[in-house]
């Protein structure tokens, strides 16, 4: 699995307007960029749904999912990140890509607290890719459902450690896809109220 990781300190955008662009990332504990292989599968799944989409990235980390979405013409991305240095790097990388606040916002803070505030407008695609083994995925899922973060037919991507093979999701989330790669299991759901 490690051989598919971006080189230390960088992520690479796979496709879209910033294809092959490399962006620096901090080497922080718990920061686990989604591998190129997993991202390629995910973005094949989402291919027709990204243009013009509003994105919520609940655990920004390296920004790999947010930057890939914006590169493929998502209209807006809101990114939550707990670690100060990672949040600052996300902001710097957005500036490098010439993304202003009308295209993307990075909010430094605890995702579980940020998700308790109902948004003014829902999101089309939500990424839940938390640090592993901290019991954050299901808590995030519950808060997203309770506080109306999703537009109708929104798609929700959840990436967890592979030993978390059972995931509790709301009954109106229909699983579309699931795949396992090494230590990771990743799933795509659709919100169908």
């Amino acid at each position: 699995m490690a051989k598919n990781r971006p080189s230390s300190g960088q992520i690479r955008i796979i496709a879209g307007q910033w294809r092959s662009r490399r962006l620096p990332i901090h080497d922080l504990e718990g920061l686990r960029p989604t591998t190129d292989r997993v991202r390629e599968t995910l973005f094949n799944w989402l291919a027709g749904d990204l243009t013009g989409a509003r994105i919520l990235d609940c655990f920004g980390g390296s920004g790999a999912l947010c930057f890939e979405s914006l590169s493929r013409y998502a209209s807006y991305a809101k990114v939550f990140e707990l670690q100060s240095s990672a949040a600052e790097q996300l902001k710097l990388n957005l500036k490098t890509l010439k993304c202003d606040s009308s295209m993307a916002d990075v909010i430094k803070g605890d995702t579980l607290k940020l998700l308790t505030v109902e948004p003014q407008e829902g999101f089309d695609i939500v990424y839940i890719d938390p640090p592993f083994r901290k019991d954050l995925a299901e808590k995030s899922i519950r808060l997203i459902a309770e506080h109306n973060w999703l537009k109708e037919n929104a798609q929700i991507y959840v990436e967890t450690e592979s030993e978390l093979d059972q995931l509790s999701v709301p009954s109106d989330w229909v699983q579309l896809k699931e795949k396992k790669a090494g230590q990771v299991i990743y799933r795509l759901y659709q919100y169908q109220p």
Side-chain angles (χ1 to χ4, degrees):
M1 191 68 176
K3 69 182 178 197
N4 291 323
R5 286 196 183 283
S7 61
S8 178
Q10 288 187 336
I11 55 164
R12 180 181 65 87
I13 297 174
I14 297 169
Q17 61 185 321
W18 303 316
R19 180 174 191 220
S20 299
R21 189 81 182 260
R22 294 184 183 274
L23 296 168
I25 60 171
H26 283 288
D27 185 18
L28 300 169
E29 186 181 339
L31 189 67
R32 182 189 40 76
T34 301
T35 64
D36 286 5
R37 189 174 91 196
V38 171
R39 264 190 296 143
E40 204 160 327
T41 301
L42 166 63
F43 286 98
N44 284 339
W45 291 349
L46 294 174
D49 301 309
L50 280 161
T51 302
R54 286 175 47 81
I55 307 295
L56 174 65
D57 190 345
C58 294
F59 298 90
S62 68
L65 300 177
C66 158
F67 299 134
E68 195 72 46
S69 298
L70 290 169
S71 182
R72 296 172 190 232
Y73 305 101
S75 66
Y76 174 76
K78 183 181 283 285
V79 183
F80 297 155
E81 176 51 49
L82 179 62
Q83 297 186 69
S84 296
S85 56
E88 285 308 309
Q89 188 63 57
L90 289 167
K91 290 177 185 176
L92 285 171
N93 286 344
L94 286 167
K95 197 173 183 180
T96 298
L97 296 171
K98 296 181 175 41
C99 290
D100 62 20
S101 61
S102 70
M103 289 179 69
D105 280 314
V106 175
I107 288 72
K108 190 221 163 291
D110 181 338
T111 295
L112 297 182
K113 288 182 180 150
L114 294 167
L115 288 174
T116 63
V117 179
E118 198 162 310
Q120 292 181 342
E121 185 180 348
F123 290 84
D124 302 296
I125 298 172
V126 174
Y127 300 123
I128 304 169
D129 179 12
F132 284 175
R133 298 171 191 88
K134 295 189 185 257
D135 194 29
L136 294 168
E138 289 185 343
K139 289 176 182 172
S140 301
I141 288 167
R142 191 179 67 250
L143 291 169
I144 286 166
E146 286 173 7
H147 297 282
N148 301 311
W149 284 88
L150 303 174
K151 288 185 176 179
E152 190 170 337
N153 297 316
Q155 293 184 75
I156 309 100
Y157 171 77
V158 184
E159 184 176 318
T160 61
E161 58 274 25
S162 57
E163 61 264 28
L164 190 61
D165 57 357
Q166 294 296 313
L167 199 57
S168 178
V169 300
S171 59
D172 53 10
W173 288 24
V174 176
Q175 185 170 317
L176 303 177
K177 306 273 186 180
E178 179 178 311
K179 205 161 182 182
K180 197 171 185 177
Q183 300 173 25
V184 172
I185 188 164
Y186 51 109
R187 303 168 175 99
L188 187 66
Y189 298 91
Q190 187 166 43
Y191 172 51
Q192 296 180 354

